[in-house]
Each structure stands twice: as C-alpha cells, then as structure tokens.
Amino acid sequence: MYRSHNCGELRINDINKEITLAGWVQKSRDKGFMVWVDLRDRYGITQLIFDESRSDAALMQLAKSLGREFVIQVKGTVIERESKNTVIPTGDIEVLVKELTILNTSIVPPFTIEDDTDGGEDIRMKYRYLDIRRNPVRNSLLFRHKVTQEVRNYLSNLDFCEVETPYLIKSTPEGARDFVVPSRMNPGQFYALPQSPQTFKQLLMVAGMDRYFQIVKCFRDEDLRADRQPEFTQIDCEMSFIDQEDILDVFEGLTRHLLKKIHQIEIDKFPRMTFEEAMRKYGNDKPDIRFGMEFGELNNVAQHKEFSVFNSAELVVGIAVPNAAAYTRKQIDELIEWVKRPQVGASGMVYCKCEEDGSYKSSVDKFYDQDDLANWAQITGAQKGDLILILSGPANKTRAQLSALRMELGNRLGLRKPHEFAPLWVVDFPLLEWDEETERYHAMHHPFTSPKPEDIHLLDSEPGNVRANAYDLVLNGNEIGGGSIRIHDKETQALMFRHLGFTAEEAQEQFGFLMNAFQYGAPPHGGLAFGLDRLTAILGGQETIRDFIAFPKNNAGRDVMIDAPSIIATTQLDELSIALNVK
C-alpha cells in the first residue's frame, strides 16, 4: 500500500496516528538541523518534518537531497504543528517522518508548479501534464467532472438513455468543414469525423428509443478562438412525441439543476426573446442580459438635420452608458479608436453627454439642438450623468459593431459579473440565411430543422422570411445550447433540400438513408445540444474553455505537447492511396 491517507485529509483529530503518504515534493525548506517538505497530491498538501533530534542521520541526508517534483513515499506520525497555516485544510498538523522512500526523481520543471506560476501559456501547453498538477487547472477538470456527473444524473432520472453513435461517418456539404479520414480498404474514399451526431440521433427516434442523450466528442475544421476548439464535447439530446415547449421545459430544468447543485443558486425566470428582438435590442443573437444598455434606433430623430454621416446611413443606433458623462475627452477618444480597430470596423463614433444639470453636450452640437439631443436620450433611455454613444452605417454591420462595444463596456464597467447568471431563450430564428459568397440560401442551423408550419407557404416567394422551429439557450452572453424541432416526413425534407439548392439526386445521394427511414413511421421529434466545454467554463466563472479541457489545442489548432498534426510516412500515404501535392 503506497498510502493510507491522501495529502488533503489529515486533521487535528488525527494526531498520533501512524500514517503513510505518497505524492510530489512541492517545495522544501532546509534549516540545517530541520527540514520541512510540502508534499502534494491531487487532494491537497501536507507538511512533512525531518528533525535531527528525532530523525537519524541517513534520513536527514535523504531529506536534504529532495528536489521539486520528486515522487516520494513517507511513513510517520501525525503531530500538531507549532506554526499553524490557516490557508490550507491540513494546516493544523504535520507529519514527523520516520521512513522516506524516493519513488522517482525529477528534473527541474520548466515553470513553477504553483497557483501563480511563472510559466507563459505556450510553455504550459507544451508541458500540459505538469500544468495539470497546478490547482487552477486540476480544479477546473474536477469541476468539469462534477458538471458532467450532474448532467448524467438529471437526464437519466428523466428516462433518457445514453447511446453511443459512430465517429466514422459520411461527409456532408452543409455546416463547417469536416475533418476527413481516408479508408485504406476503400482506396480514394473517406470517412468524416462527426460535427454532431445529428442524423444518428434522429434515426434513434425512428428506432423508437424515445429519449436519447450522449456526452459526445465532435469535430469541426474551422478557425479557432478562445471559446472554440477543433474537437469539442456536446451534451447531445433528442426526444420523441414532443413540441418546443416540452424541450424548453426539460432543459430549463437541467440548467436550474446545475446552478443549484454547483452554485446553490435558484433561477426562477428563463425569459424568451425572438431572434428579431435580440438583434434589434442588442445587435446579436446571444445577448448578455445581466446589464442594460439596450439599443435605441435614432433614424427618425437624427436624420435630415444636415449631418450627412447620419443622413446617408441605413441605421443610426445608440446606447446609454450609465454614469459615464464624466468621461474625459481622452477616455472617449480611446473608445472611438477601439471601435475603429479592424476587429470592429467602425469608421467613427458620435457621443452625447447627459449633464447633471439636464443639459446635453455632443460631438455634433453644430447640427443638433438641445431638443434633438433630448430625443436621443429618451430613445436610448439615458439619464442624467449618462453618456450616449452612437454608430451609423449598414444595419447589420452597425448592429454588430455596437454589440461589440456594448460587451466591451460591460467588461470595463464590471457589469458582467462571473458568478451572476442570467439565462435567456432566443426563439424564432430564420430558417435560411443568404450567403453572399455562394449566392444562395443556407440553413441557419442545419437542413433538418423544421420550418414554422404557418411559414411554409413563404418558402417559394419569401424564403428569407420563413421562421424556424429553432431555439438557443443563452447564458451570460454565450450560446450554451441550441436545437430545433426536426422535419420528420420525407416530403418536407425533400422540399427543404430543394430550397437549399440540392437536386433530387444529390439529396438522395447525401441523405437518402434518412429520408428512407422517414418512410417507416418517424415520430415527431426534436432536441437540443449543449456545448459542454463552454457550459462548464461559464459555470466556472470563465470565458475561455482551455483550462476545462485536459489537453487543448492552441489557436493554430496544434497540440504543441505531442506536436500534432504531423507528417506521416510515405509508406502510410501509399497504403491509403494518397499522393500529396503540398506547395
């Protein structure tokens, strides 16, 4: 037995116990006649003591030889600590060591394995197995385990059955780029790694499984950012004989369950907002409703006043920043430069201060009088002491720019509190969206999403106005889950494919297996998938997901620890009938 206890469990009531511990040397302090060693494992830290008056010379010499990250086993007696440490749970005791065994030595680590490490992100990702020894990363992985465990408990108690679906599937033209896998036994043919188990979970509904879930790895070959990885994990769910209300009710329940179990927080309301309302009020379809600053559209009160910038704009829109009228010109200029960054892309910004005396001072006073500015304040909801910030230009682009500014100000003003949670359902998404590059409509979610029955007649005449039976669950300005009621009959699915530009032959070739299955009595069904990585990060009070993934990729999609992707041998390529043409 390597240990009788772990390094986080010994307490004052364990004094005089003979125990065995094993772990890593966090650090040691050699005072000549006495050596203290902090021994660490996953569960915590216990201080060890070696004392010349109570330890023999050989043991003292061995203790003095210990380096950081040596793996050791000790046997000894629990004693009361003279200088107690109130920061750690084991701080009332220490272990007087009688036997010491070095199980393995360690070279000097490339960074200090402490909460506040001196290692940069690149070096820590290269030595991720060392980074996981640090409390922040290890605790994030333990937190993810807890979330996953609660998800399984909740869904299993509602009769959901966990079913595994294949990882080697057929590539489809919709959605993001697939990762493809060559088939050695079928030269020139390829599998794809699943972007989601979408068609398989629908087939499980045809098969009568009724309630399915899977915590499943998915893959998308797309550009990365802080909350996106090429491989990610979904909580994937599907239900039969339900409507939208049933699904929203189940997953509101799951979200409530997680918040209560993990944070002891009770959430009463899950407000709902249409896609159109979200875009109009917040400029994006995943608004953070923990704070205000709703958009105010100013076309009617800002145009036709001899200010050509506004007169030529499709949209003039502003927000009221609370208590920011005291901003200096330098602070406002900094915000103007921020929105002009390429990542945001605005050409400029107009501002108006709502002074405490009830007057207004704007950057365009020569074009607008006090009554005009009072109208701006009314529409944006600005109060005395607030600052109105206004952008103008093409409607969609300007909304996106002001949305980015709103979120930035929310961060700067401390309005996006990490442990305050505000869920929101966004519903009634467009079924289709126009792609300028391909000059055709694409499914906003996926081609299996059901249109609203009352909008189907618009598919031929006004396809852009057809609403989908789709819904997203937003938490703190992040989409944590999305789903839809699915098409469950062959005729409607064929109609959808036709409007997405598929010929009948192409639809049959790509998705014939699904449409054929619909002929054997497919039930009405729908579902939802949560992004587990993002959900866990948000519940953990973070915006980025990397620390909640054991071995993440970097921004270039590389695993710098194992150096992947990498070149493979020519013999392997020959076996796969692949000829490289890399320039």
Side-chain angles (χ1 to χ4, degrees):
M1 184 172 66
Y2 278 106
R3 56 189 180 186
S4 61
H5 297 75
N6 65 54
C7 292
E9 68 176 298
L10 294 173
R11 300 291 188 270
I12 195 75
N13 57 357
D14 294 307
I15 284 177
N16 295 325
K17 282 186 180 178
E18 299 295 320
I19 57 88
T20 304
L21 299 178
W24 288 263
V25 174
Q26 174 82 13
K27 57 186 172 183
S28 61
R29 299 174 297 283
D30 184 355
K31 297 297 184 182
F33 62 92
M34 196 171 287
V35 177
W36 289 275
V37 173
D38 287 346
L39 186 66
R40 182 194 70 241
D41 64 10
R42 169 186 143 184
Y43 306 95
I45 289 176
T46 297
Q47 180 170 282
L48 312 177
I49 183 170
F50 301 82
D51 182 356
E52 268 187 2
S53 64
R54 292 176 285 183
S55 306
D56 62 44
L59 182 60
M60 288 296 295
Q61 191 62 37
L62 192 58
K64 290 174 182 286
S65 73
L66 296 177
R68 282 180 179 263
E69 302 309 310
F70 275 37
V71 186
I72 64 172
Q73 181 194 50
V74 297
K75 296 180 180 180
T77 305
V78 180
I79 63 174
E80 186 170 1
R81 188 165 166 171
E82 287 187 14
S83 179
K84 293 181 172 55
N85 183 347
T86 59
V87 176
I88 58 175
T90 60
D92 289 339
I93 59 92
E94 59 190 358
V95 173
L96 177 62
V97 177
K98 297 177 179 177
E99 295 181 33
L100 166 63
T101 304
I102 297 176
L103 302 174
N104 213 336
T105 60
S106 172
I107 62 174
V108 177
F111 55 88
T112 56
I113 300 176
E114 295 176 350
D115 291 3
D116 297 319
T117 183
D118 56 358
E121 185 175 38
D122 290 344
I123 194 75
R124 288 188 291 109
M125 287 188 71
K126 184 174 181 180
Y127 296 93
R128 183 65 167 179
Y129 47 86
L130 297 180
D131 200 26
I132 293 173
R133 292 181 187 175
R134 296 192 310 115
N135 284 327
V137 183
R138 182 182 64 249
N139 290 341
S140 292
L141 297 181
L142 293 172
F143 183 81
R144 180 189 177 109
H145 163 70
K146 183 177 180 180
V147 172
T148 305
Q149 190 176 42
E150 292 297 341
V151 168
R152 279 198 165 94
N153 291 342
Y154 176 86
L155 293 173
S156 297
N157 286 335
L158 291 180
D159 293 329
F160 281 81
C161 176
E162 187 165 12
V163 181
E164 293 184 36
T165 54
Y167 276 2
L168 296 175
I169 66 169
K170 185 174 185 176
S171 182
T172 58
E174 287 291 318
R177 295 183 187 91
D178 288 327
F179 281 102
V180 295
V181 180
S183 170
R184 179 183 59 81
M185 292 181 289
N186 300 277
Q189 296 185 326
F190 296 81
Y191 299 105
L193 298 178
Q195 297 184 33
S196 87
Q198 181 61 45
T199 54
F200 288 100
K201 66 180 178 180
Q202 290 191 249
L203 291 170
L204 285 169
M205 296 304 101
V206 177
M209 289 304 295
D210 194 72
R211 289 191 169 200
Y212 140 96
F213 86 99
Q214 184 180 190
I215 297 177
V216 58
K217 190 73 76 176
C218 301
F219 308 85
R220 289 179 188 167
D221 187 7
E222 58 186 356
D223 296 334
L224 307 180
R225 42 178 207 248
D227 62 345
R228 184 177 290 171
Q229 289 273 303
E231 52 180 313
F232 56 96
T233 305
Q234 284 187 180
I235 306 165
D236 199 58
C237 306
E238 199 80 1
M239 304 164 66
S240 291
F241 302 112
I242 44 78
D243 58 21
Q244 179 173 297
E245 288 302 316
D246 297 313
I247 293 176
L248 269 55
D249 182 62
V250 166
F251 294 101
E252 278 185 21
L254 174 57
T255 308
R256 283 194 178 94
H257 176 81
L258 292 173
L259 287 169
K260 184 171 183 179
K261 286 288 186 179
I262 291 165
H263 290 299
Q264 295 75 51
I265 291 174
E266 298 274 3
I267 296 289
D268 294 327
K269 295 181 180 179
F270 280 68
R272 298 184 189 182
M273 187 179 297
T274 66
F275 171 84
E276 186 277 330
E277 184 183 3
M279 297 302 293
R280 179 169 47 83
K281 286 185 174 181
Y282 299 101
N284 69 62
D285 59 3
K286 47 182 183 295
D288 189 337
I289 60 171
R290 285 175 293 180
F291 63 101
M293 286 195 263
E294 291 185 8
F295 290 11
E297 296 187 3
L298 303 172
N299 291 50
N300 291 338
V301 296
Q303 291 182 324
H304 315 300
K305 299 286 184 176
E306 299 184 6
F307 185 49
S308 60
V309 173
F310 284 176
N311 290 342
S312 62
E314 181 184 2
L315 177 67
V316 183
V317 62
I319 55 173
V321 186
N323 305 312
Y327 275 21
T328 64
R329 183 57 192 266
K330 181 179 179 181
Q331 287 174 297
I332 294 173
D333 285 346
E334 193 273 327
L335 287 176
I336 292 172
E337 291 305 310
W338 191 90
V339 299
K340 291 168 73 173
R341 295 157 61 239
Q343 299 94 317
V344 181
S347 56
M349 183 170 68
V350 169
Y351 69 87
C352 174
K353 293 184 175 185
C354 304
E355 306 288 8
E356 294 290 349
D357 63 4
S359 65
Y360 303 94
K361 176 64 179 173
S362 83
S363 56
V364 287
D365 277 348
K366 64 184 291 187
F367 300 104
Y368 298 94
D369 60 28
Q370 290 291 296
D371 289 340
D372 294 326
L373 301 180
N375 287 333
W376 295 7
Q378 181 182 5
I379 291 171
T380 59
Q383 306 295 317
K384 292 178 181 180
D386 291 352
L387 176 67
I388 304 171
L389 301 177
I390 304 167
L391 299 179
S392 62
N396 291 340
K397 185 177 179 181
T398 303
R399 285 194 179 100
Q401 292 165 350
L402 191 60
S403 175
L405 176 61
R406 176 181 177 270
M407 294 291 275
E408 175 67 14
L409 288 165
N411 287 328
R412 294 188 184 192
L413 297 172
L415 301 175
R416 304 189 68 207
K417 299 178 175 64
H419 294 292
E420 179 182 324
F421 298 97
L424 169 73
W425 284 109
V426 178
V427 299
D428 292 354
F429 282 82
L431 182 70
L432 307 169
E433 58 183 344
W434 181 256
D435 186 287
E436 296 289 348
E437 188 175 324
T438 60
E439 295 188 336
R440 69 181 182 91
Y441 281 104
H442 289 262
M444 178 170 271
H445 283 77
H446 53 62
F448 316 108
T449 297
S450 172
K452 293 273 187 181
E454 61 269 29
D455 289 356
I456 289 180
H457 71 281
L458 298 174
L459 272 170
D460 287 321
S461 58
E462 302 175 63
N465 291 331
V466 179
R467 294 169 301 158
N469 246 329
Y471 34 82
D472 281 357
L473 182 55
V474 176
L475 185 63
N476 296 359
N478 293 271
E479 176 203 331
I480 60 167
S484 65
I485 300 299
R486 322 300 187 191
I487 296 169
H488 68 279
D489 64 278
K490 183 177 181 179
E491 292 73 23
T492 306
Q493 189 64 74
L495 177 66
M496 182 67 172
F497 284 139
R498 179 165 64 81
H499 282 280
L500 291 172
F502 288 82
T503 65
E505 292 75 18
E506 288 170 336
Q508 182 63 32
E509 179 185 350
Q510 293 288 336
F511 302 106
F513 65 93
L514 182 64
M515 292 195 289
N516 291 342
F518 285 169
Q519 297 178 104
Y520 291 93
H525 61 280
L528 180 142
F530 278 11
L532 178 61
D533 310 302
R534 190 177 303 169
L535 171 64
T536 306
I538 294 168
L539 291 175
Q542 308 271 341
E543 288 282 328
T544 59
I545 64 176
R546 282 184 187 158
D547 276 355
F548 296 87
I549 299 172
F551 300 103
K553 307 291 189 292
N554 68 10
N555 282 341
R558 294 196 64 83
D559 186 325
V560 295
M561 183 183 68
I562 62 173
D563 193 25
S566 60
I567 294 170
I568 64 174
T570 304
T571 52
Q572 287 178 279
L573 294 172
D574 291 342
E575 280 187 328
L576 297 168
S577 303
I578 294 175
L580 289 184
N581 184 23
V582 179
K583 296 181 180 179

